[in-house]
Amino acid sequence: MSRFDKFQQILTSRRTELETRLGKITRDVSKKASADWSEQAQERENDEVLDALGNETELELRQVVKALDRLNEGDYGICERCGVDIPEARLEIMPYAALCVKCANEAS
Ligand SMILES: [Zn+2]
């Protein structure tokens, strides 16, 4: 049992959730791509929303997958930049956090 078990559970279910959402978005987009030209023009606005949603989902999924890799490698909860322990309070809010608050602020 690791003290990060609960985060592993959170991250694993989050990954499933994001993969399901991404799969659904991708299906919606490809369904629209086969529609008539006139319909496509009308739905372009929706597509842009879907694209943005897809990108956002993909970005979070990538971070979640990376965090799970770090869990497996035993690097989880350690700041990638300065090597300090990331406080659990921060991981509670952002389980895929790879940087401590200080480094995250400096990086952005
Ligand atoms: Zn740091």
Side-chain angles (χ1 to χ4, degrees):
M1 287 293 277
S2 143
R3 69 191 177 103
F4 293 131
D5 277 358
K6 66 172 174 179
F7 294 117
Q8 181 152 28
Q9 277 170 18
I10 293 166
L11 285 162
T12 304
S13 62
R14 187 74 184 143
R15 182 178 61 189
T16 309
E17 197 184 313
L18 289 167
E19 280 170 351
T20 307
R21 196 198 297 171
L22 204 61
K24 195 172 174 295
I25 291 167
T26 310
R27 270 202 308 281
D28 283 354
V29 171
S30 54
K31 203 164 60 191
K32 287 207 178 78
S34 62
D36 291 335
W37 275 108
S38 56
E39 258 177 68
Q40 268 190 38
Q42 280 169 12
E43 302 213 340
R44 187 175 293 167
E45 211 167 304
N46 280 338
D47 282 353
E48 276 166 17
V49 172
L50 277 174
D51 281 352
L53 206 64
N55 289 342
E56 206 175 283
T57 306
E58 214 178 317
L59 194 73
E60 190 182 342
L61 180 60
R62 231 176 287 153
Q63 287 175 300
V64 167
V65 168
K66 203 173 135 203
L68 284 164
D69 281 348
R70 284 159 59 80
L71 266 165
N72 285 332
E73 287 159 17
D75 296 333
Y76 183 76
I78 300 164
C79 176
E80 268 189 338
R81 224 169 123 183
C82 71
V84 303
D85 285 343
I86 299 170
E88 272 195 46
R90 174 163 168 77
L91 295 172
E92 298 269 3
I93 300 164
M94 203 193 285
Y96 53 75
L99 298 172
C100 70
V101 177
K102 190 170 160 279
C103 290
N105 286 338
E106 280 169 11
S108 62

XYZ file of all heavy atoms in Angstrom:
857
model
N 0.845 -1.207 0.000
C 0.000 0.000 0.000
C 0.875 1.249 0.000
O 1.783 1.389 0.807
C -0.896 0.021 1.249
C -2.046 -0.978 1.199
S -3.296 -0.613 -0.045
C -4.302 0.590 0.875
N 0.622 2.116 -0.930
C 1.352 3.379 -1.002
C 0.422 4.505 -0.560
O -0.801 4.394 -0.664
C 1.832 3.610 -2.433
O 1.769 4.959 -2.776
N 1.028 5.591 -0.083
C 0.193 6.700 0.345
C -0.452 7.391 -0.853
O -1.315 8.246 -0.710
C 0.992 7.690 1.187
C 2.051 8.470 0.418
C 2.952 9.208 1.387
N 4.012 9.907 0.684
C 4.004 11.220 0.461
N 3.016 11.964 0.892
N 5.003 11.786 -0.172
N -0.025 6.992 -2.039
C -0.592 7.587 -3.246
C -1.680 6.712 -3.881
O -2.168 7.023 -4.951
C 0.514 7.871 -4.269
C 1.476 8.935 -3.825
C 2.837 8.721 -3.893
C 1.009 10.152 -3.335
C 3.727 9.707 -3.485
C 1.889 11.144 -2.916
C 3.261 10.917 -2.993
N -2.034 5.617 -3.186
C -3.043 4.708 -3.734
C -4.325 5.416 -4.132
O -4.898 5.141 -5.173
C -3.356 3.593 -2.731
C -2.329 2.470 -2.810
O -1.422 2.560 -3.656
O -2.440 1.521 -2.016
N -4.758 6.346 -3.275
C -6.027 7.018 -3.586
C -5.906 7.878 -4.837
O -6.836 7.962 -5.628
C -6.531 7.835 -2.395
C -5.659 9.013 -2.018
C -6.350 9.857 -0.959
C -5.408 10.955 -0.468
N -6.019 11.818 0.527
N -4.705 8.448 -5.041
C -4.511 9.259 -6.244
C -4.458 8.369 -7.482
O -4.919 8.755 -8.548
C -3.253 10.120 -6.127
C -3.355 11.163 -5.050
C -2.503 11.140 -3.963
C -4.328 12.145 -5.127
C -2.618 12.096 -2.962
C -4.443 13.111 -4.127
C -3.584 13.081 -3.044
N -3.889 7.183 -7.304
C -3.846 6.227 -8.416
C -5.269 5.852 -8.831
O -5.573 5.785 -10.019
C -3.065 4.974 -8.016
C -2.979 3.964 -9.159
C -1.732 3.095 -9.085
O -1.190 2.848 -8.019
N -1.268 2.658 -10.234
N -6.121 5.649 -7.837
C -7.515 5.318 -8.127
C -8.216 6.466 -8.840
O -8.927 6.271 -9.825
C -8.262 4.983 -6.832
C -8.058 3.545 -6.389
C -8.594 3.284 -4.997
O -9.406 4.049 -4.481
N -8.134 2.217 -4.379
N -7.998 7.674 -8.316
C -8.616 8.866 -8.914
C -8.156 9.023 -10.358
O -8.964 9.225 -11.264
C -8.271 10.143 -8.101
C -8.917 10.097 -6.706
C -8.702 11.407 -8.841
C -8.380 11.133 -5.732
N -6.835 8.891 -10.554
C -6.265 9.094 -11.888
C -6.731 8.017 -12.871
O -7.000 8.307 -14.033
C -4.734 9.108 -11.809
C -4.123 10.394 -11.221
C -2.684 10.158 -10.776
C -4.187 11.541 -12.202
N -6.829 6.782 -12.385
C -7.251 5.686 -13.258
C -8.689 5.885 -13.722
O -8.991 5.737 -14.909
C -7.099 4.334 -12.547
O -5.743 4.206 -12.113
C -7.423 3.172 -13.474
N -9.576 6.281 -12.804
C -10.963 6.471 -13.213
C -11.112 7.722 -14.064
O -11.932 7.771 -14.985
C -11.910 6.495 -12.004
O -11.608 7.563 -11.165
N -10.273 8.726 -13.786
C -10.273 9.941 -14.604
C -9.841 9.620 -16.043
O -10.393 10.143 -16.996
C -9.328 10.974 -13.970
C -9.344 12.334 -14.609
C -10.614 13.097 -14.246
N -10.675 14.370 -14.922
C -11.787 14.927 -15.389
N -12.940 14.331 -15.231
N -11.765 16.088 -15.987
N -8.836 8.745 -16.156
C -8.349 8.366 -17.486
C -9.467 7.691 -18.286
O -9.697 8.024 -19.447
C -7.142 7.418 -17.365
C -6.571 7.041 -18.731
C -5.359 6.161 -18.645
N -5.666 4.903 -17.990
C -4.766 3.996 -17.629
N -3.495 4.211 -17.862
N -5.122 2.891 -17.024
N -10.171 6.768 -17.643
C -11.285 6.085 -18.309
C -12.342 7.095 -18.751
O -12.834 7.047 -19.875
C -11.921 5.055 -17.346
O -10.887 4.231 -16.824
C -12.951 4.207 -18.053
N -12.646 8.025 -17.853
C -13.654 9.042 -18.123
C -13.248 9.901 -19.332
O -14.060 10.158 -20.225
C -13.759 9.909 -16.863
C -14.992 10.753 -16.743
C -14.897 11.631 -15.500
O -14.533 11.116 -14.422
O -15.150 12.841 -15.615
N -11.992 10.323 -19.340
C -11.493 11.188 -20.417
C -11.430 10.441 -21.745
O -11.762 10.994 -22.794
C -10.115 11.751 -20.063
C -10.091 12.802 -18.945
C -8.663 13.041 -18.471
C -10.716 14.110 -19.383
N -11.027 9.163 -21.696
C -10.953 8.357 -22.914
C -12.342 8.166 -23.511
O -12.520 8.238 -24.718
C -10.303 7.001 -22.623
C -8.784 7.084 -22.571
C -8.128 5.808 -22.059
O -8.856 4.901 -21.577
O -6.897 5.727 -22.113
N -13.317 7.944 -22.635
C -14.702 7.777 -23.093
C -15.198 9.064 -23.736
O -15.793 9.045 -24.812
C -15.613 7.414 -21.898
O -15.055 6.282 -21.238
C -17.022 7.105 -22.355
N -14.899 10.199 -23.075
C -15.338 11.488 -23.589
C -14.680 11.792 -24.933
O -15.330 12.252 -25.865
C -15.000 12.590 -22.584
C -15.756 13.875 -22.879
C -15.140 15.072 -22.204
N -15.166 14.982 -20.759
C -14.523 15.847 -19.968
N -13.816 16.828 -20.481
N -14.571 15.711 -18.661
N -13.405 11.504 -25.014
C -12.645 11.770 -26.243
C -13.180 10.903 -27.387
O -13.319 11.372 -28.516
C -11.162 11.496 -25.991
C -10.172 12.214 -26.897
C -10.303 13.716 -26.763
C -8.751 11.806 -26.562
N -13.482 9.660 -27.091
C -14.027 8.753 -28.089
C -15.356 9.267 -28.616
O -15.625 9.208 -29.813
N -16.159 9.803 -27.728
C -17.470 10.330 -28.087
C -17.316 11.578 -28.959
O -18.005 11.728 -29.960
C -18.256 10.668 -26.809
C -19.721 10.872 -27.037
C -20.435 11.013 -25.701
C -21.909 11.376 -25.899
N -22.091 12.697 -26.508
N -16.386 12.457 -28.587
C -16.136 13.680 -29.359
C -15.661 13.325 -30.762
O -16.136 13.857 -31.744
C -15.095 14.591 -28.641
C -15.705 15.166 -27.353
C -14.656 15.731 -29.552
C -14.701 15.818 -26.424
N -14.726 12.388 -30.844
C -14.187 11.970 -32.132
C -15.294 11.410 -33.020
O -15.365 11.710 -34.205
C -13.079 10.907 -31.936
O -12.167 11.396 -30.956
C -12.340 10.636 -33.219
N -16.183 10.620 -32.436
C -17.309 10.067 -33.197
C -18.208 11.176 -33.718
O -18.628 11.154 -34.863
C -18.118 9.108 -32.334
C -17.654 7.667 -32.408
C -18.750 6.691 -32.002
N -19.352 7.001 -30.714
C -18.782 6.689 -29.542
N -17.632 6.077 -29.512
N -19.376 6.988 -28.404
N -18.506 12.156 -32.857
C -19.372 13.268 -33.247
C -18.772 14.037 -34.414
O -19.465 14.407 -35.341
C -19.588 14.227 -32.065
C -20.586 13.647 -31.067
O -21.158 12.582 -31.376
O -20.786 14.248 -30.014
N -17.464 14.282 -34.344
C -16.786 15.058 -35.389
C -16.803 14.304 -36.708
O -17.122 14.869 -37.747
C -15.334 15.415 -34.979
C -14.576 16.021 -36.150
C -15.349 16.393 -33.807
N -16.501 13.003 -36.678
C -16.454 12.243 -37.935
C -17.853 12.058 -38.514
O -18.018 11.977 -39.719
C -15.747 10.908 -37.738
O -16.321 10.189 -36.692
N -18.863 12.026 -37.651
C -20.245 11.920 -38.110
C -20.612 13.184 -38.892
O -21.235 13.128 -39.930
C -21.167 11.766 -36.895
C -22.501 11.109 -37.208
C -23.199 10.618 -35.949
C -23.496 11.741 -34.976
N -23.930 11.259 -33.665
N -20.180 14.324 -38.349
C -20.464 15.606 -39.001
C -19.710 15.747 -40.310
O -20.198 16.349 -41.249
C -20.091 16.760 -38.069
C -21.078 16.898 -36.930
C -21.150 18.311 -36.416
C -22.189 18.414 -35.312
N -21.669 17.889 -34.036
N -18.518 15.170 -40.364
C -17.699 15.302 -41.568
C -18.371 14.649 -42.767
O -18.137 15.031 -43.908
C -16.327 14.688 -41.330
N -19.233 13.668 -42.515
C -19.879 12.967 -43.624
C -21.217 13.623 -44.002
O -21.874 13.195 -44.932
C -20.095 11.497 -43.260
O -20.949 11.412 -42.155
N -21.606 14.666 -43.295
C -22.876 15.340 -43.587
C -22.777 16.171 -44.867
O -21.698 16.384 -45.403
C -23.257 16.235 -42.411
N -23.932 16.642 -45.355
C -23.953 17.488 -46.566
C -23.172 18.773 -46.349
O -23.007 19.214 -45.222
C -25.399 17.863 -46.916
C -26.163 16.651 -47.393
O -25.526 15.698 -47.898
O -27.386 16.651 -47.231
N -22.744 19.377 -47.463
C -21.964 20.607 -47.368
C -22.736 21.708 -46.658
O -22.203 22.413 -45.810
C -21.547 21.100 -48.752
C -20.290 20.438 -49.219
C -20.168 19.492 -50.195
C -18.966 20.661 -48.724
N -18.859 19.107 -50.325
C -18.098 19.809 -49.443
C -18.447 21.490 -47.741
C -16.721 19.778 -49.204
C -17.070 21.460 -47.507
C -16.229 20.607 -48.230
N -24.010 21.870 -47.013
C -24.825 22.932 -46.416
C -24.960 22.723 -44.913
O -24.850 23.658 -44.125
C -26.206 22.969 -47.062
O -26.815 21.695 -46.938
N -25.181 21.484 -44.559
C -25.286 21.155 -43.137
C -23.985 21.445 -42.424
O -23.971 21.955 -41.309
C -25.616 19.677 -42.963
C -27.062 19.405 -42.626
C -27.317 17.922 -42.554
O -26.782 17.309 -41.612
O -28.018 17.382 -43.422
N -22.907 21.105 -43.095
C -21.584 21.293 -42.484
C -21.321 22.751 -42.142
O -20.760 23.057 -41.108
C -20.488 20.808 -43.437
C -20.123 19.365 -43.185
C -18.879 18.977 -43.952
O -17.955 19.759 -44.085
N -18.868 17.756 -44.444
N -21.731 23.640 -43.072
C -21.528 25.066 -42.838
C -22.279 25.507 -41.590
O -21.752 26.255 -40.764
C -21.986 25.865 -44.041
N -23.496 25.021 -41.458
C -24.307 25.378 -40.300
C -23.702 24.850 -38.998
O -23.851 25.445 -37.948
C -25.719 24.803 -40.439
C -26.616 25.631 -41.342
C -27.901 24.891 -41.667
O -28.218 23.880 -41.048
N -28.623 25.401 -42.653
N -23.072 23.722 -39.133
C -22.582 23.086 -37.918
C -21.123 23.391 -37.627
O -20.551 22.849 -36.710
C -22.789 21.571 -38.023
C -24.250 21.228 -38.240
C -24.619 19.927 -37.584
O -23.704 19.144 -37.313
O -25.813 19.705 -37.345
N -20.550 24.267 -38.443
C -19.135 24.559 -38.255
C -18.865 25.116 -36.855
O -17.882 24.774 -36.226
C -18.641 25.538 -39.318
C -17.143 25.732 -39.241
C -16.632 26.608 -40.357
N -16.771 25.965 -41.657
C -16.625 26.614 -42.820
N -16.392 27.889 -42.828
N -16.734 25.973 -43.948
N -19.803 25.946 -36.423
C -19.635 26.546 -35.102
C -19.587 25.466 -34.012
O -18.765 25.513 -33.123
C -20.772 27.521 -34.829
C -20.367 28.679 -33.953
C -21.415 29.770 -33.963
O -21.754 30.260 -35.058
O -21.905 30.085 -32.878
N -20.477 24.502 -34.135
C -20.496 23.390 -33.188
C -19.194 22.602 -33.225
O -18.684 22.184 -32.199
C -21.641 22.433 -33.513
C -22.967 22.944 -33.002
O -23.007 23.769 -32.091
N -24.038 22.479 -33.586
N -18.687 22.411 -34.454
C -17.447 21.665 -34.618
C -16.298 22.335 -33.886
O -15.468 21.673 -33.285
C -17.081 21.542 -36.106
C -17.919 20.468 -36.785
O -18.648 19.768 -36.064
O -17.833 20.344 -38.001
N -16.276 23.672 -33.981
C -15.197 24.391 -33.318
C -15.255 24.197 -31.812
O -14.237 24.046 -31.154
C -15.249 25.875 -33.687
C -14.529 26.107 -35.012
C -14.824 27.460 -35.622
O -15.313 28.342 -34.888
O -14.563 27.622 -36.819
N -16.485 24.186 -31.287
C -16.659 23.944 -29.860
C -16.171 22.537 -29.519
O -15.450 22.332 -28.558
C -18.141 24.117 -29.431
C -18.344 23.681 -27.989
C -18.574 25.563 -29.617
N -16.562 21.579 -30.382
C -16.148 20.187 -30.164
C -14.631 20.049 -30.234
O -14.030 19.328 -29.449
C -16.788 19.271 -31.203
C -18.206 18.800 -30.910
C -18.750 18.017 -32.084
C -18.257 17.942 -29.660
N -14.023 20.742 -31.206
C -12.569 20.689 -31.342
C -11.883 21.196 -30.083
O -10.951 20.580 -29.587
C -12.108 21.517 -32.541
C -12.314 20.756 -33.843
O -12.652 19.561 -33.762
O -12.141 21.354 -34.903
N -12.365 22.346 -29.600
C -11.781 22.932 -28.395
C -11.936 21.976 -27.220
O -11.004 21.766 -26.442
C -12.447 24.269 -28.086
N -13.108 21.378 -27.123
C -13.391 20.420 -26.056
C -12.488 19.198 -26.186
O -11.951 18.698 -25.206
C -14.870 19.992 -26.162
C -15.573 19.519 -24.905
C -15.673 20.647 -23.891
C -16.976 19.037 -25.257
N -12.301 18.760 -27.440
C -11.441 17.618 -27.712
C -10.007 17.900 -27.325
O -9.346 17.064 -26.706
N -9.517 19.076 -27.681
C -8.140 19.445 -27.344
C -7.928 19.504 -25.846
O -6.916 19.034 -25.332
C -7.802 20.810 -27.951
C -7.678 20.730 -29.455
O -7.506 19.653 -30.016
N -7.779 21.874 -30.103
N -8.908 20.100 -25.179
C -8.838 20.232 -23.730
C -8.816 18.861 -23.066
O -8.029 18.606 -22.168
C -10.080 21.012 -23.258
C -9.919 21.770 -21.976
C -11.163 22.575 -21.698
O -11.356 23.632 -22.327
O -11.973 22.116 -20.869
N -9.699 17.989 -23.554
C -9.789 16.632 -23.021
C -8.487 15.877 -23.270
O -7.970 15.198 -22.380
C -10.969 15.880 -23.674
O -12.155 16.648 -23.506
C -11.166 14.511 -23.051
N -7.951 16.036 -24.474
C -6.728 15.335 -24.846
C -5.547 15.801 -23.989
O -4.726 15.004 -23.551
C -6.435 15.581 -26.316
C -5.792 14.383 -26.974
C -5.545 14.608 -28.448
O -6.440 15.151 -29.125
O -4.447 14.268 -28.907
N -5.509 17.115 -23.760
C -4.439 17.689 -22.958
C -4.478 17.140 -21.528
O -3.456 16.747 -20.972
C -4.582 19.219 -22.941
C -3.381 20.001 -22.443
C -2.279 19.970 -23.485
C -3.777 21.443 -22.166
N -5.686 17.094 -20.955
C -5.810 16.583 -19.594
C -5.477 15.100 -19.554
O -4.790 14.635 -18.645
C -7.210 16.843 -19.035
C -7.266 16.541 -17.539
C -8.632 16.730 -16.913
O -9.486 17.405 -17.501
O -8.828 16.187 -15.809
N -5.945 14.363 -20.577
C -5.676 12.932 -20.641
C -4.171 12.670 -20.665
O -3.672 11.783 -19.983
C -6.348 12.325 -21.884
C -6.168 10.820 -22.105
C -6.721 10.019 -20.937
C -6.850 10.377 -23.392
N -3.453 13.483 -21.441
C -2.004 13.324 -21.533
C -1.352 13.526 -20.164
O -0.437 12.805 -19.777
C -1.436 14.326 -22.539
C -0.549 13.666 -23.574
C -0.072 14.656 -24.607
N -1.108 15.066 -25.528
C -1.137 16.235 -26.174
N -0.218 17.125 -25.975
N -2.109 16.505 -27.030
N -1.844 14.517 -19.411
C -1.290 14.784 -18.088
C -1.607 13.658 -17.107
O -0.779 13.295 -16.281
C -1.836 16.119 -17.556
C -1.236 17.315 -18.265
C -1.869 18.606 -17.813
O -3.069 18.805 -17.944
N -1.073 19.496 -17.266
N -2.829 13.126 -17.236
C -3.247 12.027 -16.361
C -2.402 10.779 -16.633
O -1.920 10.120 -15.706
C -4.763 11.731 -16.532
C -5.151 10.411 -15.885
C -5.598 12.870 -15.954
N -2.195 10.471 -17.924
C -1.389 9.303 -18.301
C 0.041 9.462 -17.793
O 0.645 8.519 -17.270
C -1.412 9.089 -19.843
C -0.371 8.081 -20.291
C -2.799 8.644 -20.297
N 0.563 10.672 -17.923
C 1.919 10.958 -17.464
C 2.031 10.763 -15.941
O 3.004 10.184 -15.454
C 2.285 12.402 -17.842
C 3.778 12.635 -17.932
C 4.067 14.025 -18.476
C 5.162 14.685 -17.661
N 5.152 16.142 -17.740
N 1.018 11.223 -15.230
C 1.011 11.075 -13.774
C 0.978 9.600 -13.381
O 1.643 9.188 -12.429
C -0.181 11.823 -13.174
N 0.210 8.797 -14.129
C 0.146 7.364 -13.841
C 1.497 6.698 -14.111
O 1.908 5.805 -13.363
C -0.966 6.700 -14.670
C -2.388 6.950 -14.163
C -3.427 6.607 -15.213
C -2.669 6.158 -12.884
N 2.185 7.158 -15.163
C 3.541 6.656 -15.439
C 4.465 6.977 -14.270
O 5.274 6.142 -13.850
C 4.110 7.310 -16.710
C 3.546 6.672 -17.971
O 2.913 5.616 -17.852
O 3.739 7.252 -19.053
N 4.338 8.202 -13.784
C 5.180 8.640 -12.670
C 4.893 7.818 -11.414
O 5.802 7.525 -10.639
C 4.992 10.133 -12.417
C 5.712 11.003 -13.466
C 5.148 12.407 -13.545
N 5.238 13.118 -12.275
C 6.351 13.703 -11.822
N 7.436 13.694 -12.541
N 6.341 14.314 -10.652
N 3.630 7.450 -11.225
C 3.255 6.593 -10.099
C 3.958 5.245 -10.198
O 4.487 4.725 -9.223
C 1.738 6.392 -10.074
C 0.929 7.340 -9.198
C -0.538 7.268 -9.548
C 1.122 7.016 -7.721
N 3.951 4.687 -11.403
C 4.597 3.392 -11.625
C 6.096 3.458 -11.404
O 6.716 2.506 -10.937
C 4.315 2.899 -13.055
C 2.905 2.384 -13.207
O 2.298 1.910 -12.244
N 2.363 2.490 -14.405
N 6.680 4.595 -11.781
C 8.127 4.742 -11.668
C 8.565 5.236 -10.293
O 9.764 5.352 -10.024
C 8.633 5.695 -12.762
C 8.623 5.060 -14.141
C 8.626 6.095 -15.257
O 8.952 7.259 -14.993
O 8.279 5.724 -16.385
N 7.585 5.570 -9.449
C 7.913 6.047 -8.106
C 8.313 7.515 -8.048
O 8.865 7.972 -7.056
N 8.032 8.252 -9.120
C 8.355 9.675 -9.159
C 7.164 10.555 -8.829
O 7.262 11.777 -8.846
C 8.839 10.083 -10.575
C 10.136 9.398 -10.948
O 10.901 9.063 -10.036
O 10.369 9.207 -12.156
N 6.037 9.923 -8.558
C 4.821 10.696 -8.349
C 4.905 11.529 -7.077
O 5.464 11.091 -6.075
C 3.608 9.758 -8.261
C 2.297 10.488 -8.120
C 1.711 11.110 -9.206
C 1.656 10.553 -6.890
C 0.514 11.785 -9.082
C 0.453 11.229 -6.754
C -0.116 11.846 -7.862
O -1.292 12.522 -7.724
N 4.350 12.736 -7.131
C 4.317 13.595 -5.953
C 5.604 14.362 -5.731
O 5.759 15.041 -4.713
N 6.542 14.223 -6.688
C 7.797 14.959 -6.600
C 7.835 15.985 -7.730
O 7.546 15.642 -8.879
C 9.009 13.996 -6.711
C 8.970 12.969 -5.570
C 10.326 14.772 -6.712
C 9.873 11.774 -5.789
N 8.184 17.216 -7.401
C 8.225 18.271 -8.413
C 9.252 17.924 -9.483
O 10.401 17.613 -9.167
C 8.540 19.616 -7.770
S 8.705 20.929 -8.993
N 8.800 17.981 -10.751
C 9.679 17.643 -11.880
C 10.842 18.623 -12.018
O 11.860 18.304 -12.603
C 8.876 17.688 -13.186
C 8.270 16.385 -13.579
C 7.670 16.435 -14.978
O 7.361 17.537 -15.457
O 7.518 15.366 -15.564
N 10.639 19.823 -11.510
C 11.633 20.856 -11.748
C 12.618 21.001 -10.602
O 13.830 21.020 -10.819
C 10.910 22.182 -11.994
C 11.511 22.943 -13.156
C 10.628 24.088 -13.529
N 11.352 25.333 -13.469
C 10.805 26.520 -13.690
N 9.525 26.614 -13.953
N 11.519 27.606 -13.630
N 12.102 21.092 -9.355
C 13.024 21.347 -8.246
C 13.171 20.156 -7.305
O 14.000 20.175 -6.405
C 12.604 22.602 -7.483
S 11.109 22.379 -6.531
N 12.351 19.112 -7.501
C 12.518 17.895 -6.730
C 11.929 17.882 -5.329
O 12.127 16.907 -4.602
N 11.202 18.917 -4.945
C 10.576 18.898 -3.618
C 9.302 18.041 -3.667
O 8.757 17.773 -4.735
C 10.214 20.321 -3.095
C 11.432 21.210 -3.050
C 9.091 20.939 -3.896
N 8.845 17.588 -2.505
C 7.582 16.858 -2.425
C 6.437 17.831 -2.686
O 6.381 18.894 -2.066
C 7.408 16.233 -1.032
C 8.292 15.002 -0.854
O 8.769 14.460 -1.872
O 8.495 14.600 0.304
N 5.569 17.466 -3.586
C 4.386 18.289 -3.837
C 3.403 18.028 -2.693
O 3.092 16.871 -2.408
C 3.739 17.942 -5.202
C 4.742 18.203 -6.341
C 2.453 18.735 -5.409
C 4.297 17.678 -7.700
N 2.940 19.076 -2.013
C 2.030 18.861 -0.891
C 0.768 18.097 -1.311
O 0.253 18.321 -2.410
C 1.654 20.287 -0.455
C 2.698 21.168 -1.040
C 3.183 20.493 -2.274
N 0.311 17.201 -0.426
C -0.865 16.399 -0.760
C -2.093 17.256 -1.012
O -2.958 16.896 -1.806
C -1.148 15.377 0.346
C -0.381 14.088 0.098
C -0.892 12.921 0.929
O -2.119 12.704 1.006
O -0.035 12.235 1.504
N -2.141 18.414 -0.340
C -3.277 19.323 -0.532
C -3.364 19.750 -2.005
O -4.457 19.908 -2.551
C -3.136 20.537 0.371
N -2.187 19.929 -2.633
C -2.163 20.312 -4.055
C -2.594 19.136 -4.936
O -3.322 19.316 -5.904
C -0.759 20.780 -4.436
C -0.566 21.075 -5.916
C 0.669 21.913 -6.152
N 1.063 21.992 -7.548
C 0.457 22.756 -8.466
N -0.581 23.487 -8.107
N 0.885 22.791 -9.704
N -2.138 17.932 -4.556
C -2.496 16.737 -5.329
C -3.994 16.427 -5.217
O -4.584 15.871 -6.137
C -1.661 15.542 -4.870
C -0.150 15.654 -5.122
C 0.585 14.501 -4.455
C 0.163 15.691 -6.616
N -4.567 16.811 -4.075
C -6.011 16.612 -3.901
C -6.776 17.426 -4.939
O -7.763 16.969 -5.514
C -6.470 17.094 -2.508
C -5.848 16.366 -1.339
C -6.671 15.163 -0.903
O -7.684 14.878 -1.550
O -6.276 14.525 0.096
N -6.298 18.640 -5.172
C -6.971 19.536 -6.114
C -6.618 19.141 -7.546
O -7.461 19.117 -8.430
C -6.545 21.001 -5.866
C -6.918 21.428 -4.441
C -7.180 21.942 -6.888
C -6.213 22.687 -3.961
N -5.330 18.817 -7.774
C -4.851 18.513 -9.120
C -4.014 17.243 -9.070
O -2.788 17.302 -8.934
C -4.009 19.691 -9.610
C -3.911 19.777 -11.116
S -2.617 20.919 -11.618
C -3.391 22.491 -11.268
N -4.670 16.071 -9.124
C -3.932 14.810 -8.935
C -2.823 14.591 -9.968
O -1.921 13.800 -9.741
C -5.012 13.737 -9.075
C -6.310 14.429 -8.927
C -6.099 15.842 -9.379
N -2.910 15.280 -11.119
C -1.882 15.076 -12.149
C -0.785 16.141 -12.096
O 0.040 16.236 -13.016
C -2.507 15.025 -13.548
C -3.400 16.197 -13.889
C -2.849 17.433 -14.199
C -4.780 16.066 -13.884
C -3.661 18.511 -14.501
C -5.598 17.132 -14.189
C -5.033 18.354 -14.495
O -5.840 19.424 -14.776
N -0.769 16.952 -11.026
C 0.245 17.997 -10.907
C 1.649 17.401 -10.952
O 1.950 16.443 -10.247
C 0.049 18.776 -9.615
N 2.509 17.958 -11.824
C 3.888 17.478 -11.933
C 4.869 18.499 -11.360
O 6.060 18.224 -11.260
C 4.226 17.176 -13.383
N 4.342 19.661 -11.007
C 5.188 20.718 -10.461
C 4.624 21.205 -9.138
O 3.421 21.143 -8.906
C 5.242 21.909 -11.432
C 5.827 21.695 -12.829
C 5.598 22.933 -13.679
C 7.309 21.373 -12.748
N 5.514 21.681 -8.247
C 5.037 22.308 -7.025
C 4.453 23.677 -7.391
O 4.640 24.157 -8.513
C 6.170 22.440 -6.012
S 7.436 23.640 -6.452
N 3.774 24.305 -6.457
C 3.084 25.572 -6.742
C 4.085 26.631 -7.220
O 3.830 27.348 -8.193
C 2.340 26.091 -5.489
C 1.690 27.437 -5.766
C 1.274 25.091 -5.066
N 5.237 26.674 -6.572
C 6.239 27.675 -6.897
C 6.701 27.519 -8.347
O 6.727 28.476 -9.116
C 7.429 27.528 -5.933
C 8.441 28.640 -5.989
C 9.425 28.488 -4.823
C 10.702 29.245 -5.094
N 11.642 28.510 -5.970
N 7.076 26.302 -8.717
C 7.554 26.052 -10.085
C 6.434 26.251 -11.114
O 6.692 26.736 -12.210
C 8.128 24.661 -10.207
S 9.670 24.471 -9.316
N 5.215 25.844 -10.758
C 4.089 26.023 -11.677
C 3.877 27.493 -11.957
O 3.621 27.893 -13.091
C 2.830 25.393 -11.086
N 4.024 28.315 -10.938
C 3.873 29.754 -11.113
C 5.004 30.321 -11.961
O 4.785 31.187 -12.803
C 3.844 30.475 -9.762
C 2.518 30.245 -9.049
O 1.507 29.918 -9.684
N 2.522 30.412 -7.735
N 6.200 29.827 -11.745
C 7.346 30.319 -12.509
C 7.285 29.872 -13.961
O 7.703 30.594 -14.863
C 8.666 29.818 -11.877
C 9.082 30.631 -10.674
C 10.220 29.985 -9.903
O 10.818 29.027 -10.416
O 10.484 30.436 -8.779
N 6.737 28.670 -14.178
C 6.680 28.111 -15.529
C 5.629 28.802 -16.392
O 5.746 28.843 -17.603
C 6.407 26.613 -15.473
N 4.590 29.354 -15.759
C 3.505 29.948 -16.552
C 3.701 31.427 -16.806
O 4.598 32.034 -16.280
C 2.158 29.705 -15.866
O 2.155 30.335 -14.617
Zn 9.209 22.814 -7.776
